[in-house]
Amino acid sequence: MKKLIPAFAMAMSLITTSCHKDEVKTDEFDYTVDKFADIEVLRYKVPGFEDLSLNQKKLIYYLTEAAIWGRDILWDQNNEYNLPIRRMLETVYTNYDGDRNSDDFKNFERYLKQVWFANGIHHHYSTDKFTPAFSREFLVAELDKLPAGDWTASQDTILTIIFDSAVAAKRVNQAEGQDLIATSANNLYKGVSQAEVEAYYDALKNPADTTPISYGLNTRVIKEDGKVVEQTYKLGGLYSAAIEKIVENLEKAQEFAENDAQRCIIETLVDYYRSGDLRTFDEYSILWAEDTDSKVDFINGFIEDYGDPLGMTGAWESIVNFKNEEASHRTELLSSNAQWFEDNSPVDSRFKKDEVKGVSAKVITAAILAGDAYPATPIGINLPNANWIRAAHGSKSVTLENITQAYDEASHGNGFNEEFVIDAETSKLLDDYLFITDNLHTDLHECLGHGSGKLLPGVARDALKAHGSTIEETRADLFALYYLADPKLIEIGLLDNPEAYKAEYYKYILNGLMTQLMRIEPGKDVEEAHMRNRKLIAEWVYEHGKADNVIELVKQDGKTYVRINDYEALRGLFGQLLAEIQRITSEGDYPAARDLVETYAVKVDPKIHREVLDRYARLSIAPYKGFVNPVYTPVTGEDGTITDITVSYDEDYVPQMLRYGRDYSALKPAE
Ligand code: ZN
């Protein structure tokens, strides 16, 4: 599971702790790389890379190569025409010899930048198809100037996909009551209906199996001779050419593994890529979860299932990272107290874990972001996703602090506080404590929230179906919110002020009730799981605290502001909702999950929505941010051996995208 940065946090000016301030002043690093449409592209630093050993640098280098080589897989998973479309657009872009300041070209360039950012033709967050602002005639005229392109799909088909708004309109459709497969434009299913896929998996699953594989995680489901079958992503199977390059670089990385455990992890992952056997993936996941000693770590594979409306197939992603020892002290304190948090939560004891195993948490420095984690990236990750592995072997939870730091630095002085925060006192609270409590919220969410609680026997991982992701994120967020205000955090030295939690509480409610709506187009519903979860929580506590006036929406000068009158009562409400969400999860109570999501998480009040959009429009804040990667370059000695790996930060967005497209195109379009 991943934690995305809340709209509020990434928009806010988060000037906080003194050490942090010092760094800002002396820092000439230019974080903003590019801005277009609703996107701002940033860069991130990799502090500490230079201090790693040569072996660790080589290990990271080959892992980053294995990461970038998987890029095409995700593009194809997102839509079957993404690769030919990218190839066509890049060819036109690089060969264009007309006026680069003309409206058509500028609109074309913006569209291409959007497509790059989304790894395809659908918005990375809303999953709606982009609407090109350039004309079909412009593109056709440019294509006519080029030699016949090898797009593998016909030019007419590609043009229809790009320009016909009714075709492939949405990558992931979550609308209740529709055939979610037929109406989703991803490439994870072909020629099968939702009912057929559900029946297919129901027949495979054995409810008595206590260690089930993650069905469908690495497959596309199609129909062959009238029968529903899975095509496996593996060497010799689907995406073989890209997987071959991944495996090749994993094997090189393996030579520089830090220890036997890590060598074994890489070897098992390679075995899995060779066989496609999900039992082997589980073995790998267990080894990976149990390795808490290695400094360098990585994710590489089909991991998160948000791109699949049924929550089965994993989107390909990779993040390579190494431990930030100093900051990890924070998360180590939390995990060493994991059992205390589990025992003291407001959840019914039937749903608690008797023994919380190995909740391992650390703060990491990301070295590369790839696949589904690039350019838009999570700020926290908790894996593996398989519930039984988490229960029996624990899970590993990380916070990507060089990424949160880049968000923070890039947001200084953007005017957000002045526009949305009710008064100077609250602004000061946020200035003083939001950076630390926001990081703590991420730590709690990842290392304790997702790992807490248990399913009752016989309850399936996907019992909550399309609402599973939203409820799971709600659960982890509530666990974090509830404990953020607990004296325990002061006792173990993570916070120094009993009022500090109010900063995160205020931010969370403001975001959930109002500011995150800036990401939604007028008239649309909230769809993304994390946004739904924040809305669900904020709206629920607002309504249930109404009688006691816990949270108030007040009008000043025609503007709506959030005022929190009773923070302690608010904590109580978070606890109540946590107990209910845990019950729903543990019992697999689908109707209750659906009712909560539909009542609180989906529908937007058009008046407040309009107001938020208008107020945002006056600030120049991009709703979404993402990153370019640093560039790693091997330095070789006279005999050709690698003597060092350098890291540089000067590659811009367009050059990086074109370079990846040129040098890491593993898949023939439409494979
Ligand atoms: Zn999460």
Side-chain angles (χ1 to χ4, degrees):
M1 279 147 240
K2 62 180 175 177
K3 182 171 190 255
L4 302 171
I5 191 146
F8 186 99
M10 62 186 220
M12 290 234 22
S13 167
L14 307 146
I15 315 150
T16 48
T17 57
S18 54
C19 58
H20 197 71
K21 252 185 206 162
D22 289 346
E23 210 180 308
V24 176
K25 276 180 196 154
T26 54
D27 199 347
E28 299 301 320
F29 194 78
D30 190 5
Y31 284 92
T32 299
V33 178
D34 206 343
K35 263 184 155 180
F36 50 88
D38 54 356
I39 303 291
E40 182 173 350
V41 181
L42 308 174
R43 59 179 107 240
Y44 59 95
K45 287 193 274 195
V46 189
F49 181 79
E50 277 88 358
D51 305 329
L52 297 172
S53 72
L54 180 57
N55 258 18
Q56 288 170 326
K57 286 181 186 173
K58 288 182 185 170
L59 171 62
I60 288 178
Y61 175 72
Y62 289 115
L63 290 174
T64 63
E65 288 291 300
I68 305 170
W69 272 111
R71 180 173 181 246
D72 279 4
I73 296 176
L74 180 76
W75 280 71
D76 192 75
Q77 283 186 303
N78 282 346
N79 181 270
E80 65 173 307
Y81 295 102
N82 277 336
L83 288 173
I85 287 173
R86 187 183 81 200
R87 203 144 307 185
M88 175 192 273
L89 297 177
E90 288 178 355
T91 306
V92 168
Y93 185 79
T94 47
N95 286 285
Y96 185 76
D97 60 0
D99 178 5
R100 290 198 168 236
N101 285 315
S102 67
D103 281 350
D104 264 334
F105 184 79
K106 285 198 149 271
N107 289 332
F108 171 76
E109 182 178 48
R110 188 180 61 220
Y111 178 79
L112 177 55
K113 285 180 175 184
Q114 288 179 293
V115 170
W116 278 329
F117 193 89
N119 295 295
I121 54 174
H122 300 92
H123 193 280
H124 74 286
Y125 209 79
S126 73
T127 82
D128 291 331
K129 197 170 74 168
F130 294 121
T131 307
F134 58 95
S135 65
R136 186 182 172 123
E137 291 68 33
F138 166 81
L139 185 55
V140 170
E142 291 306 315
L143 287 167
D144 284 347
K145 294 179 198 165
L146 299 170
D150 174 22
W151 321 121
T152 62
S154 86
Q155 186 165 310
D156 275 350
T157 305
I158 293 180
L159 292 173
T160 302
I161 299 284
I162 294 176
F163 290 101
D164 186 338
S165 60
V167 177
K170 200 162 186 65
R171 177 162 62 83
V172 189
N173 181 32
Q174 307 269 24
E176 189 79 27
Q178 299 180 5
D179 183 322
L180 301 183
I181 288 180
T183 53
S184 293
N186 63 43
N187 193 19
L188 309 176
Y189 302 91
K190 208 169 181 179
V192 284
S193 70
Q194 181 179 350
E196 284 170 328
V197 172
E198 283 172 351
Y200 170 81
Y201 282 120
D202 282 347
L204 281 184
K205 286 179 194 166
N206 171 9
D209 186 356
T210 52
T211 59
I213 56 168
S214 302
Y215 289 98
L217 189 70
N218 65 338
T219 63
R220 178 193 292 161
V221 179
I222 61 161
K223 215 182 252 177
E224 214 170 59
D225 305 326
K227 270 182 64 185
V228 176
V229 295
E230 290 175 81
Q231 295 178 307
T232 306
Y233 307 147
K234 63 171 186 174
L235 218 54
L238 218 48
Y239 302 141
S240 186
I243 291 172
E244 201 176 299
K245 302 300 284 185
I246 294 169
V247 164
E248 188 185 307
N249 282 288
L250 286 176
E251 285 176 335
K252 285 184 195 163
Q254 201 187 341
E255 291 174 36
F256 304 102
E258 293 176 88
N259 50 53
D260 286 343
Q262 194 173 52
R263 207 162 291 124
C264 186
I265 290 168
I266 299 175
E267 198 175 291
T268 312
L269 178 60
V270 168
D271 284 350
Y272 159 64
Y273 272 130
R274 288 186 191 284
S275 68
D277 186 341
L278 286 169
R279 287 267 160 234
T280 311
F281 179 68
D282 285 346
E283 280 169 38
Y284 152 79
S285 300
I286 292 166
L287 291 170
W288 179 83
E290 289 180 343
D291 173 26
T292 52
D293 294 331
S294 305
K295 168 111 178 164
V296 175
D297 203 355
F298 71 102
I299 297 159
N300 182 306
F302 303 95
I303 309 292
E304 305 287 4
D305 55 27
Y306 305 99
D308 178 353
L310 302 190
M312 310 293 290
T313 305
W316 194 89
E317 74 167 88
S318 182
I319 294 178
V320 181
N321 63 80
F322 56 93
K323 189 172 176 183
N324 176 339
E325 310 280 353
E326 218 180 288
S328 292
H329 178 64
R330 204 173 65 212
T331 48
E332 279 154 10
L333 267 176
L334 287 180
S335 21
S336 64
N337 285 286
Q339 193 65 50
W340 184 92
F341 285 100
E342 183 76 358
D343 294 345
N344 288 280
S345 86
V347 159
D348 189 311
S349 56
R350 289 181 301 138
F351 310 138
K352 286 185 185 178
K353 280 193 183 124
D354 300 329
E355 202 186 331
V356 183
K357 281 200 187 127
V359 182
S360 117
K362 60 184 175 180
V363 177
I364 59 168
T365 303
I368 205 98
L369 308 167
D372 199 30
Y374 168 86
T377 191
I379 52 168
I381 303 169
N382 182 306
L383 293 171
N385 280 333
N387 271 314
W388 69 267
I389 297 181
R390 302 162 73 83
H393 303 275
S395 64
K396 215 147 70 176
S397 163
V398 300
T399 305
L400 291 73
E401 195 142 296
N402 61 328
I403 298 297
T404 56
Q405 178 142 4
Y407 277 128
D408 175 31
E409 308 262 349
S411 71
H412 285 296
N414 63 15
F416 183 93
N417 271 11
E418 292 75 6
E419 182 59 44
F420 287 105
V421 176
I422 185 159
D423 51 34
E425 190 192 337
T426 310
S427 277
K428 166 119 175 60
L429 184 71
L430 297 177
D431 281 349
D432 289 347
Y433 288 106
L434 189 52
F435 187 76
I436 177 64
T437 53
D438 219 22
N439 276 332
L440 267 176
H441 181 268
T442 305
D443 298 338
L444 284 161
H445 172 114
E446 296 295 345
C447 42
L448 301 179
H450 280 309
S452 75
K454 65 177 180 193
L455 302 184
L456 292 183
V459 174
R461 168 179 92 105
D462 53 352
L464 303 180
K465 300 180 199 168
H467 300 308
S469 304
T470 300
I471 294 297
E472 178 56 22
E473 294 311 320
T474 304
R475 199 173 72 88
D477 259 4
L478 285 166
F479 198 93
L481 288 165
Y482 178 77
Y483 275 119
L484 208 50
D486 202 283
K488 185 78 178 175
L489 296 193
I490 310 256
E491 185 194 313
I492 59 179
L494 287 173
L495 286 174
D496 59 8
N497 183 336
E499 312 278 299
Y501 76 93
K502 294 179 179 174
E504 177 71 12
Y505 275 28
Y506 187 83
K507 177 220 101 164
Y508 198 94
I509 299 299
L510 172 60
N511 186 46
L513 289 181
M514 291 178 56
T515 48
Q516 72 165 354
L517 296 177
M518 64 125 168
R519 293 176 164 201
I520 306 287
E521 284 175 39
K524 294 242 160 102
D525 291 341
V526 175
E527 294 184 5
E528 197 278 333
H530 296 79
M531 284 187 70
R532 281 189 170 184
N533 121 52
R534 293 183 206 119
K535 187 166 182 310
L536 193 163
I537 292 173
E539 300 274 1
W540 191 94
V541 294
Y542 174 64
E543 188 173 307
H544 287 74
K546 240 180 186 163
D548 300 320
N549 206 19
V550 176
I551 299 166
E552 215 177 335
L553 289 175
V554 297
K555 285 265 186 200
Q556 285 176 12
D557 306 326
K559 292 178 181 176
T560 311
Y561 293 88
V562 168
R563 180 189 285 145
I564 297 179
N565 293 313
D566 190 341
Y567 280 92
E568 267 171 56
L570 179 53
R571 185 189 186 212
L573 291 167
F574 286 146
Q576 263 180 46
L577 184 56
L578 172 60
E580 172 62 1
I581 293 285
Q582 182 61 56
R583 182 199 67 74
I584 289 171
T585 304
S586 293
E587 294 179 350
D589 187 346
Y590 174 75
R594 183 197 55 211
D595 289 350
L596 272 180
V597 171
E598 285 184 350
T599 309
Y600 298 104
V602 181
K603 290 288 170 217
V604 180
D605 173 354
K607 254 177 79 183
I608 195 82
H609 190 192
R610 185 72 263 161
E611 182 190 325
V612 168
L613 291 176
D614 289 346
R615 288 167 70 182
Y616 250 104
R618 276 179 254 129
L619 306 169
S620 158
I621 300 174
Y624 303 97
K625 294 184 171 70
F627 294 89
V628 291
N629 281 314
V631 180
Y632 297 91
T633 313
V635 180
T636 48
E638 276 172 21
D639 59 349
T641 55
I642 296 178
T643 57
D644 196 11
I645 309 279
T646 60
V647 56
S648 62
Y649 304 105
D650 44 17
E651 189 169 44
D652 285 335
Y653 180 63
V654 173
Q656 181 155 96
M657 289 298 171
L658 288 173
R659 181 170 67 86
Y660 283 0
R662 189 186 64 229
D663 297 348
Y664 295 91
S665 268
L667 298 183
K668 286 261 177 295
E671 183 187 347

